[in-house]
Amino acid sequence: MTRCIREPARKLPVCCRYDVVVAGGGPAGIGAAVAAARAGMKTLLIERTGFLGGMSTGGLVPCFAPFNYSGGKVSVYRGIAWDVLNRLWKAGGGGFRTGYIDWPTTDNEVLKHVYDELVEEAGVDVLFFTVVSDVIRTGRKVKAVVIENKGGRFAVEGKAFVDATGDADLAVRAGVPCDKGDAKGNLQGVSLCFTVAGIEVEKWWSHYRKRYGANAPMTKWLQDCQTKGLLPRVPGCEYRVMSPHKLSADVMNFNFGHIFGIDGTDPVQVSRAMILGRRLAHNFVVFARKHMPGWKDARIVATASLLGVRETRRIRGRVTMTMADFKASRHFPDDVAQCDYPIDVHPSSVSRREDERACRTMERLVQPPGRTYGVPFRSLVPKTLDNLLVAGRAISTDRTLQGSSRVMPVCFATGEAAGTASAMAIRSGIAPADIDPAKLRARLKKAGARVD
């Protein structure tokens, strides 16, 4: 941008004041807002779409990551994350059976309703179709956020703030240093999920398992079909079946495809990726009708309204979790969550070699059965601010470790920790960054969360 227009100065009306203000209504934001409200705080949750859940709803991600990756029946994640999963089971919208915690299937529409009820019961005020466009900072504290929606442009004042945008939008606007991608700025491929109806699911499922086994062999078959001209090439993209989940007798949800070279903080690139993602989905279903048993009457009934972005900014916090912490199954004195998901860093380009390396990494870099690593509270605290906490995939990690900590159960957990810390700090008259970690851990345990 080389040209500027001077915007006339104007007074910005303060539309409301809250104890805790949370930006971003995905799992991290839900965890933060519900935790703060349950602790008696007047809490506002700001969401840019018209629903809560982020990728778990509008992103059409077909499942939650495992609540215990090693296959155990005891969930690594309790607290609000566990509450959500149980509400989903009760509503008939999750898992192949009640109690299924290994990649539990999610009905995205049922989940929207579950989230609505959860925040209403907690007493959270929700503001949909609203974006946070700026931050007003005084010294080491955020005084207010600037919001914009159909009603206009306003300021929202708060005592504590939680950035659960996934992209560290509040943090970066407040001047918090961040990292993005690898050392060269490369970012993992993004995906656009979709839902298909009219499939003879059991017929195709039987064929799929018998012929392909795991997902990777089917992806290779799709790539071979593309080489033969049966699937049209889409430059900068690849066809990939990562996670097909049966939703009902003839409906399946797909986490599908890679679109490379996309920065999730660049609206031009995100717009382009949405178009390419829909093209991949359309091409795949047209192909499947001709070449896959049980698909002759298949139709796409929905493509995601949100792009599946795996990484953008990561804040520089008071401590940065690293790959060494993962390998050592390290825990910290100020742990507020634990994680057992493997290192899952997707390729950043169309490359068989990079793809194979990513698959081997996820198979090899796994926590031993029954082991986890800890997520310290300090990784949620930016170095340069005291009353803003960051939850979700933008917490302070190196790039490789973020491939594990970015998944939704962990986001719920870090969100719950941020909301709880904010409430405790306000009651004590201190900044969230200065909360006693031992007291925070005790409070989280009392609320049902697992911190060690």
Side-chain angles (χ1 to χ4, degrees):
M1 298 181 186
T2 57
R3 296 179 62 248
C4 295
I5 295 176
R6 185 175 297 276
E7 183 179 2
R10 58 176 174 170
K11 291 183 178 180
L12 185 62
V14 176
C15 68
C16 46
R17 296 176 176 86
Y18 281 85
D19 295 320
V20 180
V21 179
V22 181
I30 292 166
V34 170
R38 285 178 175 175
M41 296 295 108
K42 183 182 179 184
T43 304
L44 176 65
L45 179 55
I46 303 168
E47 168 55 39
R48 64 189 174 100
T49 68
F51 48 82
L52 297 176
M55 291 307 298
S56 69
T57 53
L60 294 184
V61 172
C63 59
F64 283 132
F67 276 58
N68 188 323
Y69 191 81
S70 62
K73 295 182 179 180
V74 178
S75 175
V76 171
Y77 313 97
R78 305 295 288 191
I80 291 171
W82 189 242
D83 188 7
V84 167
L85 189 58
N86 277 276
R87 286 169 181 256
L88 190 61
W89 286 332
K90 187 176 180 180
F96 296 116
R97 60 186 184 277
T98 300
Y100 191 79
I101 66 173
D102 184 11
W103 299 103
T105 300
T106 55
D107 184 318
N108 311 105
E109 289 301 319
V110 173
L111 195 50
K112 287 179 184 178
H113 176 62
V114 166
Y115 290 143
D116 287 342
E117 288 196 331
L118 181 66
V119 297
E120 283 186 351
E121 288 176 14
V124 176
D125 289 344
V126 179
L127 200 54
F128 287 133
F129 301 113
T130 301
V131 297
V132 176
S133 59
D134 208 349
V135 173
I136 297 172
R137 172 179 171 174
T138 303
R140 291 184 61 87
K141 291 188 175 182
V142 172
K143 180 180 181 181
V145 293
V146 179
I147 63 170
E148 297 187 46
N149 55 29
K150 286 286 187 181
R153 190 168 186 263
F154 308 96
V156 177
E157 292 182 335
K159 298 175 183 177
F161 297 82
V162 178
D163 184 337
T165 62
D167 299 314
D169 288 339
L170 261 69
V172 77
R173 284 166 173 75
V176 173
C178 295
D179 296 303
K180 185 191 293 184
D182 65 13
K184 296 181 180 179
N186 295 316
L187 296 161
Q188 298 174 58
V190 301
S191 303
L192 193 73
C193 299
F194 56 90
T195 304
V196 181
I199 307 171
E200 296 178 73
V201 175
E202 292 308 320
K203 181 177 181 179
W204 177 66
W205 206 246
S206 175
H207 171 80
Y208 173 86
R209 287 171 172 165
K210 181 178 180 180
R211 182 166 182 176
Y212 309 114
N215 293 345
M218 184 175 183
T219 295
K220 183 179 184 303
W221 177 66
L222 290 177
Q223 293 169 346
D224 291 341
C225 288
Q226 178 181 267
T227 301
K228 296 174 183 177
L230 300 176
L231 267 167
R233 291 184 179 276
V234 181
C237 304
E238 71 172 0
Y239 298 96
R240 172 174 291 275
V241 179
M242 286 173 283
S243 186
H245 276 250
K246 177 184 174 182
L247 189 59
S248 66
D250 70 334
V251 178
M252 294 195 73
N253 282 357
F254 287 85
N255 185 350
F256 187 89
H258 277 147
I259 307 161
F260 298 110
I262 301 298
D263 182 344
T265 65
D266 184 329
V268 174
Q269 294 185 30
V270 169
S271 299
R272 172 173 166 267
M274 293 294 290
I275 292 171
L276 293 174
R278 288 190 285 266
R279 186 175 301 163
L280 284 175
H282 172 80
N283 290 350
F284 170 71
V285 173
V286 169
F287 164 83
R289 288 190 199 121
K290 297 178 181 178
H291 300 283
M292 292 168 60
W295 279 70
K296 63 182 179 64
D297 295 321
R299 294 289 184 278
I300 295 175
V301 295
T303 52
S305 58
L306 297 175
L307 186 66
V309 178
R310 295 178 172 89
E311 64 170 335
T312 53
R313 305 182 186 105
R314 308 183 305 278
I315 66 161
R316 295 181 186 174
R318 294 192 177 183
V319 69
T320 298
M321 292 187 292
T322 69
M323 189 61 205
D325 299 324
F326 179 94
K327 289 181 176 179
S329 300
R330 182 167 292 127
H331 286 266
F332 301 84
D334 60 335
D335 275 356
V336 291
Q338 55 182 324
C339 180
D340 71 342
Y341 192 70
I343 299 298
D344 183 12
V345 178
H346 289 232
S348 56
S349 64
V350 181
S351 166
R352 289 284 180 96
R353 171 182 280 184
E354 189 176 353
D355 177 49
E356 290 171 359
R357 182 168 61 247
C359 291
R360 286 196 304 270
T361 297
M362 188 172 180
E363 293 172 356
R364 181 171 54 86
L365 293 177
V366 178
Q367 290 293 309
R371 299 284 293 277
T372 63
Y373 67 90
V375 179
F377 177 64
R378 288 166 294 163
S379 68
L380 280 60
V381 184
K383 286 183 177 180
T384 55
L385 285 172
D386 296 332
N387 72 332
L388 171 69
L389 299 177
V390 177
R393 62 176 166 85
I395 63 174
S396 184
T397 70
D398 67 14
R399 199 236 181 173
T400 307
L401 190 281
Q402 193 264 359
S404 168
S405 65
R406 64 181 172 82
V407 295
M408 286 188 276
V410 189
C411 292
F412 278 120
T414 56
E416 183 173 1
T420 302
S422 296
M424 291 176 64
I426 291 169
R427 289 201 182 280
S428 300
I430 60 175
D434 298 328
I435 201 77
D436 182 340
K439 292 181 179 179
L440 173 58
R441 282 166 49 81
R443 185 66 58 86
L444 288 168
K445 287 180 181 180
K446 187 176 181 180
R450 289 190 64 183
V451 299
D452 51 29

